[in-house]
Amino acid sequence: MAAEACGRHAAGWALPLRPPLCLACAVGTLGDGGASLVRKKHALSRLRDALAWQTLPVIRLLALDERVCASLVGALFGMCHTVEDSDAQDQFIEVLVHLVVELKSEQYLRCILDESQKELSKATTMRGSLPIFTLLGKLADAIPVFADILVVKHSNLVDHLPLGLMYPNEGVKAAVCYLYGKLYSSPVGTERLSAHFEEKLCGLFLNTLGHAQTKELQVNCLGLLKELLKSDHFVSILMNNSRTEEESENSDFLEGENPLPLVLKKFLLTRDEMLQAASSHCVAAVLVHSPSRYAPAFIHADVPEFLFECLLCNSEILIWSVYCCLLLLTEERLFFSKCHTVYGIESLVRSLQDVLQLNNVELHKQGLLLFTEILKRQPVEITLFTNRGVCLDAIDVLMKTMDCPVLEVVVGAVKAVAAFLRKDHLSSPPVPYEKLQKLLEAVLKRCADLSPPQSSKKHAGDLLFPVSQSLSRVSQRQGQLLLNTLESFRSACRLAVEYQSDPMAQENAFTAPGSESKETLSNFSEFLLRICDNLCIPMVMNYLERAVSSAVMEVFISALNTLFMVVPNMRIKFSKKLASSSFIRLTLELKARFCSVQSNPALNQACSRFLCNLCLSLYSATEKERISAQEEQEMSELLQKGLPQLNYTVAESLLLLAENPEAFSLDQSLCSHQHCFILLSYFAYTLGDRFVPEAELFLAIRNFLLSAQDRGNCPPPYILRAVLYLLAVCQDKGKGLDSRSLCTIRRILDNLPDLGLVYVHCPLLLEFFLRYPELMGRFGHQVLQLWFSWEDCSQTETEEDGFGLPDQLSSANPLLPILKSNSSILLILLDLVCSSSVEVAQKVLVTLRTFLERSEDVLVCDLLRSRFLQILQQLLVESSSASLQANRNLPILLSLLFLVQLRSKGMRELDSTDFKLLHQVSNLCGKCRPRDTDLLQPSLNFLYWSLHQTTPCSQQRAVAVLLSNVSLLELLQKVMECTWTRSFPSEPAYLLPEDALLCSGWLLAASLLIYQHRYNAEVHQTLTLDLTEVLNAIIFRKKKPILLLVSIMQFLRAVLRQNFSSSLLVIVIQNTAHGATQPQPSSLEDAALHPFAMQQVFSLLVSLQNLLVHVYLQKDLLLSQAVVACLETLLEYLCVKNQDVALHVASQPWHRFLLLTLLSGGQKSVLQPEILRLVTLFVRYQSSNVISQKEISLILREAAKANLPELPEATSRALHLFLRQIQSSHCQMEAVEAGTIQTLLEHLSGQRSTCAKHQDIVYPFAGQKPLIGDMRVVDVIGVERALCCS
């Protein structure tokens, strides 16, 4: 066959190969029947090489002579079925197919088909037909039109194929199946062979498929099946679609001969991943036609079980096929009811864990899609995660996907999270709340990370209309991610609500005793509320800057609506936060934009429900003191009915307020719209969201009232409440109401049974009623009473609020500016004190006290005193002693009267009203018992103040009035005697009322003693006191309050100054208290000091010294100066009675120790007023063994260094007295010190304020717990002056 050795053929037949080839010789050798098989195989090999490397020259040579070409084709065909060597057969078939393909001539195809028909017809066994079937299959594979030619023009060949499937040789069957697969891959073949399949092929094929053993046959059968399953008709035949529905529910039909589901399940059982993938692909190919028709057969055959098993492999192709197949099965209810998902969920989760390690995004997406569909479609009554560990693994898988950089995968994972968060999926206790929190936080953070930062701080209602709404593909995917994220959050909220009714889910039942678990529903619910505030809401607001999606907003609003029920005890705070953040405005704008003309019903329903729940929650917060179940029900029905139709803009809604319903066919509908808009505006305004311009709203509300009055309709109380509040809030932005509007308001309010039904505790509403005389005259008393009744409620509510809301309800003393501009309101307040409850009266008193402290109008006090007199006269005339004592408002009225007296800062001449008040109050005291503390305390304060803060002329008359009241003096006697019987508890932080009354009694008695002696007033009733008890009260002070000690010492000073000779006071000694004879003095000193005994003097002196050291260390200025003053008065008394005794007492050596103790406090202690007065006392009585020149020089040096103008008044006065005493005592002083004394006196004389004549004033309420507000009734400076000037 070498070209150079061939002399029989022309040179043109030579081909440039190595070695060269004569094509004619090669053809001849193949056609020579006598040539050996070896020569023919060699020639075939050379020809194959020629076709491979010299294709075009070979084809051109053969095309020159059709006979040669036909001969070559015939020779090759003949060798294909005559040669028994399988390898040789494969080579002949390969070359023949290659040759025919390159010749591109249909005649050679027909030639082969004709010869094949002849050979198949005369074949004795099908085994000999194997080469022909193989050749035809490869031709069909290589030449697309070959299958069409075969089935159209040589269809008789097809009749031989079923015989091949019946032949017990899997090689033949494999070849036939391969050929069938090529024929049915052609649309023409599918159409022409449809009847052939139904009549002849179907049963044979299923039998062959079911019994195939070799992989070749199995693969070819599955290939044919794949082509057949593209046709719905063939699928119907294969799946035996003619069976009845009852048969489909019965698994016995599977026992037929090799039904397809069982056959495919058999392939799934193999360990061959390629066959498993092909089988699962075929299952999917069947199901894709109609899952509802064909899925039951596979489900009854337990195919899903084996599909799930296949997921535990390493083949990405197989996993993909199984995912697709299972995804189709999820559309059939039977797939879930047969618990296949329960069986396979663990395999799926593990598969997802492995798949996420691969770099196959499509596989990630498909697996997550399958997981999502199973989670979504799983029936509630069938628990999917029976193993808690698998549930936790599923959470870990979803957590891991949040880190995936591919956005589509994250979107799919977030969908799965939304489907996963169902109660039935998380029913295995304990609920993994902490893992769920981490999962939700990861989802929200991943979504938030994809959002660009918010451009500026905006309210929710300002974000609905971005500049550009064109979304790129990335933005669309981000929007889809946001939607899925919000669905996940909503699912979590619903989950929390569902768990509220499950006791097992409230907390972790497996928590160790004594330990605190974080795995509780309460923590999870609070987490949802917190993460909504921190992540969810800002994320949506950020999104609204770029685009607005009705689907996104529907889910978002729905989630917020669910949050109302997640943490019930936080519902009110959450509602206030939403309302104050303009969510009412946002929701109304959403409805107006997307829900008009009955569009977007889901969004409309979500927004309407949200607004309804928000309003009801705010209603329960603002009206909690008077909440009415009936009113709440009416409001709920109104909102539920009216909100779905309220899809107007703000401007349109304002126009509707002024419309008359009679002009519309649906009167009730318009009223409903008006009322709903008013309620929404009211709740928004109460929380600071003024989304409606005030001036426009004020005018619209006014027109609404006028319209309602014109048609004779009265809105319900909760609407009137909102209307009045909105008018009050918008008052400053609009014009004042005209007479017609005021008349309308008055008529409407007059028809109400109680003004409290429409009252809102707001300073602006109070100002609104008091602003117009028409309203104040009619409703001022009721409004003020309601204001004070609600005052504490609003303050408490504001203090508890943790969301930083605008403070509209608790303004500090909002009545003060109103009172300043209209003092006639004071009379209304006084009436409230008399007629209202104690709580209201106390609050009124606080307001009046603050007003009196700040007001400089003298006429106000005169007005109040006159009104007080009228009230007291009426009470004393109409009431008995018992009724007066039971009147709980009278003590408050008396306290207010005392506050009016305090308003007078200087000396004031008492007028007739003052004396009448003095008379009435003293009579009132006479009708009281010592235990009537609430009445006596302010009364005695009033009497005490009246004595001190007036001119001598008025003071003399006032003393006469009081001393003429026998019952008052008897009461004072009883009050002071209570001091001996009272047991004092441990020192409280404030004076108890009983102790404060004792102080008042002692101080008033001391004042009466002083002024009776000064003016020689007539005495009608004397006071009797046991001197021993008085001294013991000071000596054995125990736990007596400091102010009580000061008061008793003031009384003792008054008695000592009068040398126990007052006509008002009868002094008795303990031994004579019960009628015994007066004891005789035991010594001359006792006789000189009578009724004092020397022993009592020394006991009192030691007690005062100890008390002075104690209170000095405690820095109690009031008591320390009282003690020093008492020492001064005691020594004065002793000096009058017996000067030697006085000098002896003053020179006692322990005084030296006392002085050194007091001076040990450092340089600053030298100039303390009590030390200066004490040193002055010792200098006066020439106690050289107590005070030395060294201490005097020390004081002078410190005084010279001090900045005299900055010294306290008490210190300046004490220093002045000390210096005068030094000068008058003729002490031996150096010239420098004498000059220092003179210089200091000159400076002090220039700046020293003259001590008032009557300044012995002490208010007995130091540190006392106030009866009202934070009232303090102690003037320490006044006490200092009194003690220093005495």
Side-chain angles (χ1 to χ4, degrees):
M1 289 182 289
E4 60 274 11
C6 179
R8 296 175 298 170
H9 304 103
W13 291 96
L15 296 175
L17 296 176
R18 292 185 180 181
L21 172 66
C22 177
L23 182 58
C25 290
V27 173
T29 301
L30 291 172
D32 186 3
S36 65
L37 180 59
V38 175
R39 289 186 61 197
K40 289 184 178 180
K41 290 175 67 175
H42 176 70
L44 182 66
S45 175
R46 298 286 292 164
L47 180 59
R48 184 177 60 186
D49 293 340
L51 286 173
W53 300 104
Q54 299 291 328
T55 304
L56 188 57
V58 171
I59 297 304
R60 285 177 178 174
L61 288 173
L62 293 176
L64 294 176
D65 192 342
E66 291 184 359
R67 292 179 303 160
V68 175
C69 188
S71 173
L72 178 58
V73 170
L76 291 173
F77 179 78
M79 294 298 295
C80 287
H81 64 85
T82 57
V83 175
E84 295 183 358
D85 186 353
S86 60
D87 292 336
Q89 283 182 351
D90 292 340
Q91 292 182 16
F92 283 114
I93 292 173
E94 179 186 354
V95 173
L96 179 57
V97 171
H98 193 176
L99 179 63
V100 173
V101 169
E102 295 298 336
L103 287 174
K104 300 178 183 178
S105 175
E106 189 176 333
Q107 65 175 344
Y108 302 116
L109 294 177
R110 288 197 300 269
C111 175
I112 293 174
L113 289 172
D114 291 339
E115 292 298 323
S116 298
Q117 173 64 30
K118 293 177 184 178
E119 292 299 326
L120 289 174
S121 298
K122 65 182 181 181
T124 56
T125 63
M126 291 307 297
R127 185 175 183 83
S129 304
L130 175 59
I132 296 177
F133 292 144
T134 303
L135 173 63
L136 294 177
K138 291 191 175 183
L139 285 172
D141 186 34
I143 304 173
V145 297
F146 179 78
D148 296 343
I149 296 173
L150 191 153
V151 298
V152 174
K153 298 182 179 180
H154 296 272
S155 58
N156 51 354
L157 263 174
V158 179
D159 295 334
H160 295 280
L161 297 181
L163 298 176
L165 293 179
M166 290 186 288
Y167 187 71
N169 183 286
E170 294 205 349
V172 176
K173 292 180 180 180
V176 172
C177 285
Y178 187 81
L179 178 58
Y180 263 130
K182 297 304 176 181
L183 296 179
Y184 279 103
S185 66
S186 166
V188 175
T190 301
E191 181 182 357
R192 290 298 185 97
L193 298 179
S194 176
H196 173 79
F197 175 78
E198 187 173 358
E199 296 170 3
K200 299 178 180 181
L201 179 59
C202 181
L204 285 173
F205 171 67
L206 288 175
N207 184 64
T208 302
L209 181 63
H211 293 88
Q213 299 297 320
T214 63
K215 186 171 183 179
E216 180 187 14
L217 178 58
Q218 291 171 339
V219 171
N220 290 350
C221 285
L222 290 173
L224 170 58
L225 180 60
K226 178 183 176 182
E227 297 298 333
L228 292 172
L229 294 179
K230 294 178 180 179
S231 168
D232 184 66
H233 177 62
F234 294 153
V235 172
S236 176
I237 296 172
L238 287 169
M239 293 299 295
N240 192 18
N241 194 49
S242 61
R243 65 183 183 276
T244 63
E245 184 176 349
E246 291 77 7
E247 290 174 339
S248 67
E249 297 294 333
N250 186 356
S251 60
D252 293 341
F253 84 98
L254 295 174
E255 300 301 328
E257 186 174 347
N258 297 324
L260 185 59
L262 289 178
V263 173
L264 293 176
K265 184 176 75 171
K266 176 182 176 181
F267 286 106
L268 293 175
L269 287 171
T270 65
R271 296 297 180 183
D272 192 321
E273 292 183 352
M274 184 182 74
L275 294 178
Q276 289 175 326
S279 176
S280 60
H281 187 81
C282 290
V283 174
V286 172
L287 294 174
V288 77
H289 290 281
S290 177
S292 60
R293 289 175 59 190
Y294 305 127
F298 291 98
I299 294 171
H300 283 297
D302 292 331
V303 171
E305 177 182 339
F306 298 99
L307 287 172
F308 279 116
E309 293 292 340
C310 291
L311 290 176
L312 303 177
C313 68
N314 297 321
S315 172
E316 296 182 27
I317 296 176
L318 175 56
I319 295 174
W320 171 268
S321 300
V322 173
Y323 282 166
C324 295
C325 187
L326 290 172
L327 192 59
L328 291 167
L329 286 172
T330 58
E331 300 184 30
E332 174 55 36
R333 173 187 55 84
L334 197 62
F335 176 64
F336 299 95
S337 61
K338 289 291 184 179
C339 296
H340 287 295
T341 51
V342 179
Y343 173 81
I345 191 63
E346 183 174 359
S347 299
L348 177 58
V349 171
R350 290 183 179 178
S351 172
L352 287 172
Q353 288 175 330
D354 296 335
V355 163
L356 290 175
Q357 304 293 333
L358 305 175
N359 191 23
N360 190 333
V361 174
E362 295 301 321
L363 199 58
H364 298 170
K365 291 161 58 179
Q366 194 73 357
L368 289 170
L369 179 60
L370 171 61
F371 189 39
T372 303
E373 291 301 318
I374 290 177
L375 292 170
K376 285 170 57 177
R377 297 173 184 267
Q378 180 71 18
V380 176
E381 63 274 8
I382 301 175
T383 303
L384 180 61
F385 295 98
T386 56
N387 185 339
R388 187 172 184 268
V390 178
C391 179
L392 297 180
D393 290 341
I395 296 176
D396 292 337
V397 168
L398 295 173
M399 281 281 292
K400 187 175 181 180
T401 54
M402 293 300 107
D403 298 328
C404 181
V406 182
L407 185 58
E408 293 90 336
V409 176
V410 178
V411 171
V414 176
K415 279 186 180 179
V417 172
F420 177 76
L421 293 172
R422 275 174 35 182
K423 182 181 178 183
D424 53 294
H425 293 334
L426 296 161
S427 58
S428 299
V431 181
Y433 288 119
E434 277 199 275
K435 276 185 167 288
L436 294 180
Q437 289 182 26
K438 293 178 181 178
L439 177 60
L440 274 174
E441 191 170 10
V443 170
L444 287 169
K445 285 186 176 179
R446 181 59 197 274
C447 186
D449 291 342
L450 292 174
S451 302
Q454 201 164 329
S455 61
S456 61
K457 187 78 174 178
K458 296 185 179 181
H459 280 289
D462 300 329
L463 302 174
L464 276 184
F465 302 99
V467 177
S468 174
Q469 297 184 15
S470 60
L471 296 177
S472 64
R473 185 179 177 184
V474 174
S475 298
Q476 289 177 348
R477 286 200 298 266
Q478 291 177 350
Q480 185 64 39
L481 176 61
L482 175 62
L483 176 62
N484 296 339
T485 301
L486 293 175
E487 288 177 345
S488 300
F489 181 74
R490 180 174 63 177
S491 298
C493 295
R494 290 174 176 172
L495 180 68
V497 173
E498 291 174 0
Y499 275 144
Q500 291 175 0
S501 59
D502 185 359
M504 293 294 294
Q506 299 296 319
E507 59 184 23
N508 187 355
F510 302 101
T511 305
S515 62
E516 184 178 354
S517 174
K518 295 182 180 179
E519 300 270 359
T520 62
L521 177 61
S522 175
N523 289 341
F524 181 65
S525 300
E526 291 176 3
F527 161 79
L528 292 176
L529 200 62
R530 185 170 58 253
I531 203 169
C532 176
D533 189 35
N534 297 336
L535 277 178
C536 192
I537 292 178
M539 184 171 61
V540 175
M541 296 302 104
N542 191 2
Y543 171 76
L544 288 178
E545 290 186 346
R546 296 172 286 120
V548 184
S549 167
S550 60
V552 169
M553 297 312 296
E554 185 269 323
V555 177
F556 175 59
I557 296 297
S558 177
L560 293 179
N561 193 31
T562 308
L563 270 177
F564 286 127
M565 299 176 286
V566 170
V567 188
N569 60 338
M570 298 285 287
R571 173 173 179 163
I572 292 177
K573 291 184 179 180
F574 181 61
S575 302
K576 289 182 177 181
K577 180 65 180 293
L578 292 176
S580 65
S581 301
S582 301
F583 270 82
I584 293 179
R585 178 196 308 189
L586 170 67
T587 312
L588 286 176
E589 291 181 356
L590 283 173
K591 286 169 62 66
R593 178 175 179 181
F594 292 106
C595 304
S596 58
V597 209
Q598 297 183 348
S599 57
N600 290 306
L603 176 61
N604 189 21
Q605 185 181 35
C607 291
S608 300
R609 287 180 177 177
F610 170 75
L611 288 174
C612 180
N613 287 327
L614 181 62
C615 291
L616 292 176
S617 180
L618 294 174
Y619 168 79
S620 63
T622 57
E623 311 298 336
K624 60 184 178 182
E625 292 297 318
R626 58 173 173 202
I627 191 167
S628 166
Q630 180 181 357
E631 183 175 280
E632 188 174 14
Q633 180 64 27
E634 291 178 2
M635 185 184 299
S636 177
E637 292 176 356
L638 169 67
L639 294 171
Q640 291 175 8
K641 179 181 177 181
L643 285 175
Q645 284 78 41
L646 189 66
N647 300 323
Y648 309 110
T649 63
V650 172
E652 293 170 342
S653 299
L654 287 174
L655 290 177
L656 284 177
L657 285 181
E659 293 292 343
N660 191 336
E662 295 176 356
F664 289 79
S665 58
L666 299 176
D667 298 352
Q668 196 63 33
S669 177
L670 178 60
C671 286
S672 175
H673 293 167
Q674 290 175 332
H675 292 174
C676 285
F677 183 74
I678 289 173
L679 284 176
L680 292 174
S681 302
Y682 166 64
F683 289 121
Y685 263 66
T686 57
L687 276 305
D689 179 17
R690 304 196 173 189
F691 68 95
V692 186
E694 288 95 330
E696 299 177 16
L697 182 60
F698 182 82
L699 182 61
I701 294 293
R702 184 186 69 86
N703 293 337
F704 168 78
L705 281 178
L706 294 176
S707 175
Q709 181 66 22
D710 290 343
R711 61 179 183 268
N713 292 341
C714 182
Y718 56 89
I719 298 298
L720 284 177
R721 188 184 311 136
V723 165
L724 290 175
Y725 176 83
L726 293 174
L727 284 176
V729 172
C730 301
Q731 175 73 64
D732 293 337
K733 301 295 182 178
K735 298 180 180 179
L737 293 175
D738 54 14
S739 58
R740 182 189 173 198
S741 301
L742 292 171
C743 182
T744 299
I745 294 175
R746 180 169 177 172
R747 287 177 185 174
I748 292 176
L749 296 181
D750 281 336
N751 293 328
L752 292 175
D754 181 12
L755 187 63
L757 295 174
V758 297
Y759 175 76
V760 179
H761 191 69
C762 170
L764 294 175
L765 183 66
L766 178 67
E767 183 182 355
F768 176 77
F769 272 96
L770 300 179
R771 178 174 186 170
Y772 298 101
E774 297 89 339
L775 298 180
M776 186 183 76
R778 178 66 181 86
F779 306 107
H781 189 281
Q782 299 178 58
V783 170
L784 284 168
Q785 184 167 12
L786 288 168
W787 167 264
F788 287 108
S789 300
W790 282 64
E791 182 64 15
D792 281 347
C793 299
S794 68
Q795 292 174 358
T796 303
E797 179 181 345
T798 304
E799 290 171 0
E800 292 177 352
D801 194 352
F803 282 86
L805 302 177
D807 188 6
Q808 291 187 350
L809 296 180
S810 62
S811 175
N813 295 315
L815 263 177
L816 296 181
I818 303 176
L819 288 173
K820 188 175 182 180
S821 61
N822 188 355
S823 58
S824 60
I825 303 174
L826 291 170
L827 300 180
I828 301 178
L829 295 182
L830 280 180
D831 290 338
L832 287 178
V833 173
C834 299
S835 60
S836 301
S837 64
V838 177
E839 292 77 14
V840 171
Q842 287 178 346
K843 297 169 191 174
V844 174
L845 182 55
V846 173
T847 300
L848 287 174
R849 184 206 65 194
T850 307
F851 174 72
L852 291 173
E853 289 174 352
R854 299 181 183 182
S855 175
E856 299 179 357
D857 189 357
V858 179
L859 297 178
V860 170
C861 295
D862 295 338
L863 179 66
L864 290 176
R865 273 195 292 268
S866 299
R867 182 58 181 156
F868 279 135
L869 180 60
Q870 296 174 14
I871 294 173
L872 287 176
Q873 287 173 340
Q874 184 178 359
L875 285 174
L876 291 173
V877 171
E878 298 177 356
S879 304
S880 62
S881 297
S883 60
L884 285 174
Q885 294 161 5
N887 191 330
R888 299 182 63 192
N889 285 3
L890 185 55
I892 299 174
L893 189 67
L894 292 169
S895 299
L896 184 58
L897 175 59
F898 179 53
L899 288 178
V900 174
Q901 291 294 89
L902 287 177
R903 180 68 180 75
S904 302
K905 299 298 182 182
M907 298 297 177
R908 187 179 64 86
E909 190 77 30
L910 299 181
D911 58 15
S912 59
T913 302
D914 294 314
F915 282 108
K916 290 177 182 178
L917 281 172
L918 194 66
H919 177 71
Q920 297 295 341
V921 173
S922 61
N923 287 341
L924 176 63
C925 291
K927 294 183 178 183
C928 295
R929 299 161 298 182
R931 65 172 178 268
D932 297 329
T933 310
D934 293 342
L935 284 173
L936 289 175
Q937 185 71 73
S939 299
L940 295 183
N941 287 343
F942 173 77
L943 299 179
Y944 182 79
W945 183 272
S946 299
L947 281 177
H948 286 270
Q949 291 297 96
T950 186
T951 60
C953 180
S954 296
Q955 196 174 63
Q956 183 176 3
R957 293 181 59 191
V959 171
V961 170
L962 296 181
L963 291 179
S964 65
N965 194 323
V966 175
S967 58
L968 172 63
L969 295 176
E970 291 176 348
L971 173 73
L972 278 179
Q973 175 80 47
K974 295 176 183 178
V975 169
M976 290 188 292
E977 288 177 352
C978 289
T979 308
W980 327 135
T981 60
R982 174 162 171 73
S983 59
F984 298 95
S986 57
E987 295 184 11
Y990 51 86
L991 267 183
L992 297 176
E994 295 82 1
D995 298 335
L997 180 59
L998 295 179
C999 298
S1000 300
W1002 283 102
L1003 289 173
L1004 182 58
S1007 299
L1008 289 175
L1009 281 175
I1010 294 171
Y1011 296 133
Q1012 186 275 332
H1013 178 75
R1014 179 178 298 169
Y1015 302 115
N1016 195 22
E1018 183 180 359
V1019 176
H1020 300 273
Q1021 174 70 27
T1022 60
L1023 299 175
T1024 303
L1025 280 181
D1026 189 338
L1027 178 60
T1028 305
E1029 293 287 1
V1030 175
L1031 295 177
N1032 288 342
I1034 300 174
I1035 296 171
F1036 307 106
R1037 60 184 183 276
K1038 296 181 181 179
K1039 297 179 179 179
K1040 292 184 182 67
I1042 289 175
L1043 193 58
L1044 179 58
L1045 288 174
V1046 172
S1047 303
I1048 297 175
M1049 282 189 277
Q1050 288 289 90
F1051 179 83
L1052 181 60
R1053 289 175 61 210
V1055 174
L1056 290 172
R1057 284 177 176 178
Q1058 297 178 24
N1059 297 323
F1060 296 97
S1061 60
S1062 173
S1063 59
L1064 178 61
L1065 180 67
V1066 177
I1067 295 293
V1068 297
I1069 301 177
Q1070 206 169 54
N1071 294 334
T1072 64
H1074 301 287
T1077 59
Q1078 189 81 4
Q1080 296 299 320
S1082 59
S1083 64
L1084 295 176
E1085 291 86 352
D1086 292 345
L1089 300 178
H1090 185 77
F1092 260 135
M1094 196 64 185
Q1095 182 63 36
Q1096 290 176 323
V1097 171
F1098 281 113
S1099 298
L1100 178 61
L1101 189 64
V1102 172
S1103 178
L1104 291 175
Q1105 288 176 334
N1106 294 335
L1107 190 61
L1108 182 60
V1109 173
H1110 174 73
V1111 299
Y1112 182 77
L1113 295 177
Q1114 298 295 325
K1115 305 300 182 183
D1116 194 316
L1117 178 64
L1118 177 64
L1119 184 54
S1120 62
Q1121 295 202 51
V1123 171
V1124 173
C1126 192
L1127 282 172
E1128 292 172 341
T1129 307
L1130 177 61
L1131 288 175
E1132 288 174 1
Y1133 172 78
L1134 295 176
C1135 188
V1136 171
K1137 292 290 186 178
N1138 191 329
Q1139 189 174 3
D1140 293 336
V1141 172
L1143 294 175
H1144 174 68
V1145 170
S1147 61
Q1148 290 298 316
W1150 56 74
H1151 291 320
R1152 175 71 177 172
F1153 175 75
L1154 171 64
L1155 184 60
L1156 293 177
T1157 302
L1158 297 179
L1159 290 174
S1160 63
Q1163 294 181 350
K1164 293 184 179 180
S1165 63
V1166 175
L1167 295 182
Q1168 293 298 323
E1170 56 269 27
I1171 294 180
L1172 290 173
R1173 292 177 63 182
L1174 192 62
V1175 172
T1176 304
L1177 182 65
F1178 294 142
V1179 172
R1180 182 187 308 163
Y1181 290 99
Q1182 301 176 0
S1183 304
S1184 58
N1185 63 331
V1186 176
I1187 183 73
S1188 66
Q1189 186 63 36
K1190 179 180 178 181
E1191 283 80 21
I1192 295 175
S1193 300
L1194 174 64
I1195 295 174
L1196 291 176
R1197 285 198 303 272
E1198 294 299 326
K1201 296 178 185 178
N1203 188 355
L1204 297 182
E1206 293 182 0
L1207 291 178
E1209 186 178 351
T1211 303
S1212 298
R1213 191 179 302 110
L1215 180 60
H1216 187 272
L1217 293 175
F1218 168 74
L1219 297 174
R1220 286 294 186 192
Q1221 186 63 49
I1222 293 295
Q1223 281 187 336
S1224 63
S1225 62
H1226 306 292
C1227 296
Q1228 294 181 358
M1229 307 293 297
E1230 296 181 359
V1232 176
E1233 292 179 342
T1236 301
I1237 293 173
Q1238 187 60 39
T1239 303
L1240 291 173
L1241 283 173
E1242 291 175 359
H1243 286 294
L1244 289 173
S1245 299
Q1247 68 182 31
R1248 180 172 172 267
S1249 300
T1250 303
C1251 186
K1253 185 176 181 181
H1254 302 293
Q1255 295 200 338
D1256 194 3
I1257 302 172
V1258 180
Y1259 306 109
F1261 299 103
Q1264 178 187 357
K1265 182 179 180 182
L1267 297 175
I1268 47 159
D1270 58 349
M1271 179 177 173
R1272 300 186 60 85
V1273 206
V1274 176
D1275 189 350
V1276 178
I1277 302 300
V1279 175
E1280 292 177 2
R1281 291 177 178 175
L1283 297 174
C1284 292
C1285 294
S1286 56

